[in-house]
């Protein structure tokens, strides 16, 4: 390997490391909402970042690495849902570290309610309301029609209202 190639590779790694440092927290939050499990969320983000790294040269030029990583993450999660059910069992208690200004009880209620939705409804709700995506973006990410996103979102919100009436103010 020439010194020029080594320099280019080192630069590529440094750029990717900076990208990972900047975007990992938000990717992990989204993955946790999708999977409902911290360890599965970490696996999902790691797999998505590995695929992003393989495509880094192509993505860096277009400046769309974050969007690409999120799309990969959502597609991986959908394929995991289709392949198999999760082998681990979830507990009733979700460990949370309380931070100032956060309503942990409300977060736990929301988390438990989201886990009771179908995977498709949960993905639509997370993308639309936690990731603040439009219906068009959500449909593109999930690979379905806009009307399917609307239906999944409506049914998911109805189910959330029934499961956790205390969330009503947040679900309007």
């Amino acid at each position: 390997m020439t010194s020029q190639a080594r320099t280019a590779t080192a630069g590529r790694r440094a750029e990717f490391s900076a990208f990972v440092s900047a975007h990992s927290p938000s990717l992990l939050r989204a993955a946790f909402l999708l999977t409902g499990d911290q360890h599965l969320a970490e696996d999902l983000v790691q797999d998505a970042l590995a695929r992003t790294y393989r495509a880094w040269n192509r993505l860096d030029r277009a400046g769309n690495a974050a969007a690409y990583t999120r799309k990969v993450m959502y597609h991986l999660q959908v394929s995991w849902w289709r392949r198999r059910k999760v082998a681990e069992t979830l507990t009733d208690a979700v460990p949370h570290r309380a931070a100032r200004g956060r309503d942990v009880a409300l977060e736990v209620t929301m988390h438990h309610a989201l886990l009771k939705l179908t995977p498709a409804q949960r993905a639509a709700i997370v993308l639309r309301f936690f990731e603040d995506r439009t219906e068009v973006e959500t449909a593109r990410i999930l690979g379905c029609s806009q009307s399917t996103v609307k239906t999944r979102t409506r049914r998911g919100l109805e189910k959330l209202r029934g499961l956790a009436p205390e969330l009503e103010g947040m679900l309007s």
Side-chain angles (χ1 to χ4, degrees), residues 131-142:
E131 290 288 320
D132 201 27
R133 302 286 182 160
T134 65
E135 290 171 347
V136 173
E137 290 173 320
T138 302
R140 184 177 36 78
I141 289 169
L142 296 177

Side-chain angles (χ1 to χ4, degrees), residues 117 120-129 133-135 138 142 146-161 171:
L117 298 178
Q121 289 171 345
R122 184 168 51 237
I125 297 286
V126 168
L127 286 168
R128 291 282 292 124
F129 300 106
R133 302 286 182 160
T134 65
E135 290 171 347
T138 302
L142 296 177
Q146 194 174 345
S147 62
T148 301
V149 169
K150 289 179 183 180
T151 301
R152 289 176 181 171
T153 302
R154 181 180 46 79
R155 289 180 182 163
L157 288 173
E158 287 171 0
K159 191 169 182 181
L160 284 174
R161 285 183 185 104
L171 302 176

Side-chain angles (χ1 to χ4, degrees), residues 49-63:
L49 287 172
R51 290 178 187 214
T52 301
Y53 183 74
R54 286 194 299 265
W56 187 252
N57 286 336
R58 185 177 70 239
L59 298 172
D60 192 39
R61 283 189 295 262

Side-chain angles (χ1 to χ4, degrees), residues 28-41 44 77 81 86 89-91 94-95 111-112 114-115 122 126:
L28 193 55
R29 279 191 302 273
F32 180 74
L33 291 171
L34 287 171
T35 62
D37 179 85
Q38 184 68 30
H39 301 290
L40 291 174
L44 181 62
Q77 182 61 23
W81 288 331
V86 176
T89 57
L90 300 175
T91 62
V94 178
H111 176 73
H112 283 294
L114 282 171
L115 289 178
R122 184 168 51 237
V126 168

